[in-house]
Amino acid sequence: MKNYLKYLFQLILSPRHGWEDIEDGNVAPSRIATEGFYPLIALTAASVFIQAFFMHHVVFLSLFMRMVITFVVYFISYFFGTFMLSIFVEPMVEGEYDEQRCQTFTLYTLGLLAMISIIVNCLPITPMVLFFLPCYVALIQWKGCDYMRVRPDRIGHFMMLAILGVLMPLYIFYFIFSLLF
């Protein structure tokens, strides 16, 4: 998890160099997921309980349900995002399609969103104050175009795919699951 967090902070501070270092690291996505992403989303889910300290009249059961929903939504979003990239990204990249790059790209994008969720859960402010942070994640995705080997003439299409296929489903799934429970 240490290396995963190091790369996440590197992406935040210097997105281009972060993606370059991720490429140089050449770590298998399965290892990134098991050693970094899954523990991070478990921590993100557990951080829901911190809201009990500054929100009055919070019921344990509702926090527990939000914890489960948070973990499930991130878990599903990883597979959905990877699926979306695997279907649509091939004509946008130079050379052969690389499944590992797509998985790694999705893991780091969702990892950044998980860190935003931890901040939202730990601070007694409205989530609207932190609305701009997912926009920064989109910027980090844009800086990852070189990592993904996107053709220069297809960057706009790739960004639409990255935002609609990886970034937005997390919020859509969270909304749907929140309605169900």
Side-chain angles (χ1 to χ4, degrees), residues 157-169:
H157 292 95
F158 174 77
M159 285 308 301
M160 291 299 291
L161 174 64
I163 290 169
L164 296 175
V166 180
L167 199 63
M168 289 302 295

Side-chain angles (χ1 to χ4, degrees), residues 2-14:
K2 187 172 117 177
N3 285 335
Y4 183 68
L5 290 176
K6 180 183 96 172
Y7 287 136
L8 285 175
F9 283 117
Q10 214 170 358
L11 286 172
I12 293 168
L13 298 175
S14 177

Side-chain angles (χ1 to χ4, degrees), residues 8-9 12 40 44 47 51 74 108-123 125 127 129-138 140 167 170-171:
L8 285 175
F9 283 117
I12 293 168
L40 181 63
T44 303
S47 72
Q51 293 180 351
Y74 275 97
Y108 281 103
T109 297
L110 292 175
L112 292 166
L113 293 174
M115 291 179 73
I116 292 171
S117 292
I118 291 172
I119 292 169
V120 168
N121 290 337
C122 292
L123 297 177
I125 56 176
V129 174
L130 299 172
F131 176 73
F132 70 92
L133 291 176
C135 296
Y136 186 63
V137 174
I140 293 171
L167 199 63
L170 175 79
Y171 297 107

Side-chain angles (χ1 to χ4, degrees), residues 58-96:
V58 177
V59 180
F60 173 78
L61 187 58
S62 69
L63 288 177
F64 182 77
M65 290 305 297
R66 285 190 49 212
M67 178 193 74
V68 171
I69 288 170
T70 300
F71 185 84
V72 169
V73 162
Y74 275 97
F75 189 78
I76 291 171
S77 294
Y78 165 60
F79 292 102
F80 183 81
T82 301
F83 176 72
M84 293 301 288
L85 286 178
S86 68
I87 289 177
F88 296 110
V89 82
E90 189 169 2
M92 298 177 201
V93 296
E94 295 174 345
E96 278 189 42

